[in-house]
């Protein structure tokens, strides 16, 4: 019934301003890809598709804002992307279509709330907390050293969020994990902030 296309802005985002190393390890896009982006923009314009791009924000943030606005109007939304970070936006009226891990876009999964729970053992909004703890090498988000997906998931199932973990830090076991979390409290907080899509 409706369609919108969202592009990343060419300017640095608020995440780059808060963390200089954000996405710093990524090589520049190849020239062949840059030409394709130009063509895609021309096609989107030629077909009269509404396109959005907001300086200082990533495409994910704009997708999040559009999905929230659509939900507020009772519209069912499907976000089509190759980036699983966006699974944190899954909600009652928002689903996400992504390729299966390591597969092309001809082989996809449609994630609703239950599919996110089934894959991660967490609620969709907790995906930002998960990345805050375990980090995200693709975006150069550090997370907490030594805390992997299993430990992060267990902690989030027990405490609910990064903030909840730090409120109940004395209950975290084993002691080594508790001490690591204490040492890297600021990194965990900042990593979650970087991973959270702004809607």
């Amino acid at each position: 019934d409706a369609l919108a296309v969202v592009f990343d802005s060419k300017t640095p985002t608020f995440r780059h301003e808060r963390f200089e190393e954000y996405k710093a390890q990524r090589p520049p896009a190849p020239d062949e890809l840059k030409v394709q982006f130009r063509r895609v923009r021309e096609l989107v314009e030629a077909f009269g598709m509404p396109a959005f791009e907001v300086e200082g924000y990533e495409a994910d943030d704009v997708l999040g804002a559009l999905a929230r606005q659509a939900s507020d109007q009772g519209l069912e939304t499907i976000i089509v992307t190759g980036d699983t970070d966006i699974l944190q936006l899954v909600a009652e009226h928002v689903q996400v279509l992504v390729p299966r891990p390591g597969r092309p876009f001809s082989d996809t999964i449609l994630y609703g709330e239950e599919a996110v729970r089934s894959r991660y053992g967490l609620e969709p909004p907790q995906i930002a907390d998960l990345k805050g703890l375990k980090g995200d090498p693709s975006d150069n988000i550090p997370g907490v050293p030594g805390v992997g997906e299993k430990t992060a998931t267990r902690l989030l199932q027990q405490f609910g969020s990064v903030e909840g973990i730090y409120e109940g830090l004395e209950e975290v076991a084993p002691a080594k994990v508790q001490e690591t979390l204490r040492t890297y409290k600021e990194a965990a907080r900042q990593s979650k902030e970087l991973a959270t899509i702004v809607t």
Side-chain angles (χ1 to χ4, degrees), residues 2 7 19 26 42 48 83 91 101 104 110 118-119 142 161 172 183 192:
F7 294 105
F19 183 59
R26 287 196 183 177
E42 289 171 2
D83 188 351
L110 183 63
S118 176
R119 177 172 174 184
S161 66
V172 171
T183 303
K192 177 184 175 178

Side-chain angles (χ1 to χ4, degrees), residues 89-148:
L89 298 178
V90 169
E92 183 181 0
H93 297 290
V94 180
Q95 295 178 298
V96 174
L97 184 73
V98 294
R100 292 182 191 279
R103 303 291 302 156
F105 244 109
S106 56
D107 186 3
T108 57
I109 305 174
L110 183 63
Y111 280 95
E113 292 173 294
E114 191 51 48
V116 173
R117 287 184 203 111
S118 176
R119 177 172 174 184
Y120 292 96
L122 299 170
E123 295 298 317
Q126 291 177 299
I127 299 298
D129 295 275
L130 178 66
K131 290 186 180 277
L133 291 170
K134 76 180 188 83
D136 185 354
S138 68
D139 288 338
N140 210 29
I141 295 174
V144 177
V147 174

Side-chain angles (χ1 to χ4, degrees), residues 67-81:
R68 184 177 50 78
Q69 291 170 13
S71 292
D72 289 348
Q73 296 177 46
L75 300 174
E76 299 293 327
T77 300
I78 298 176
I79 299 172
V80 180
T81 180

